[in-house]
């Protein structure tokens, strides 16, 4: 579930797209898939067995009725601190500790943190 959320939540938060729309746009759909691949590489190196397929969860969410806004998107819209540190930050930290590169997770972590900072930075 962490890998699924770390892939879909920041993409939705940064693009303001609900889950289905983010997966249907080719560019963001590929980004979601690439974020999943980084998370899977970290899990594999740590010998963590995944319970469920993150890509299947993405498809299930994309096919669900309605326009689901991920919790991180809801936080961004309300200008609340997000859970990016506990999702993408955890993947980045683990990757650094074991030597698995996670450049996309690091990029979305930094972008979300920059966005959060924008809410308190004086003009």
């Amino acid at each position: 579930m962490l890998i699924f959320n770390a892939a879909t939540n920041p993409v939705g938060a940064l693009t303001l797209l609900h889950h289905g729309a983010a997966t249907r746009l080719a560019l963001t759909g590929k980004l979601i898939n690439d974020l999943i691949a980084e998370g899977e590489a970290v899990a594999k190196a740590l010998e963590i067995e995944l319970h469920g397929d993150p890509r299947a969860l993405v498809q299930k969410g994309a096919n669900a009725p309605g326009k689901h806004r991920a919790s991180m998107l809801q936080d961004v819209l309300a200008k609340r601190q997000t859970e990016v540190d506990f999702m993408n930050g955890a993947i980045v930290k683990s990757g650094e500790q074991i030597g698995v590169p996670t450049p996309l997770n690091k990029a979305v972590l930094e972008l979300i943190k920059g966005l959060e900072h924008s809410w308190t930075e004086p003009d």
Side-chain angles (χ1 to χ4, degrees):
M1 190 63 91
L2 169 68
I3 293 172
F4 162 77
N5 283 317
T8 58
N9 278 13
V11 171
L14 290 167
T15 62
L16 306 180
L17 293 171
H18 63 80
H19 184 80
T23 59
R24 286 191 293 274
L25 179 63
L27 291 172
T28 50
K30 181 179 181 335
L31 177 56
I32 288 169
N33 191 57
D34 293 346
L35 286 162
I36 288 172
E38 284 186 6
E40 289 173 329
V42 170
K44 181 178 180 180
L46 291 171
E47 298 180 359
I48 295 172
E49 182 181 341
L50 300 181
H51 300 284
D53 177 6
R55 287 174 188 80
L57 290 173
V58 169
Q59 284 307 310
K60 182 178 179 182
N63 295 328
K67 296 179 179 180
H68 173 70
R69 288 183 169 169
S71 59
M72 196 178 294
L73 172 53
Q74 294 175 43
D75 290 338
V76 165
L77 293 173
K79 296 186 177 180
R80 292 186 300 252
Q81 184 175 1
T82 70
E83 66 271 313
V84 73
D85 291 311
F86 303 103
M87 292 181 184
N88 304 86
I91 292 171
V92 169
K93 183 178 178 181
S94 294
E96 288 172 349
Q97 290 173 340
I98 59 173
V100 174
T102 57
L104 294 175
N105 277 277
K106 188 172 191 286
V108 296
L109 169 68
E110 292 168 351
L111 288 168
I112 293 289
K113 296 307 283 183
L115 183 57
E116 290 175 355
H117 180 71
S118 76
W119 304 326
T120 58
E121 178 66 22
D123 290 332

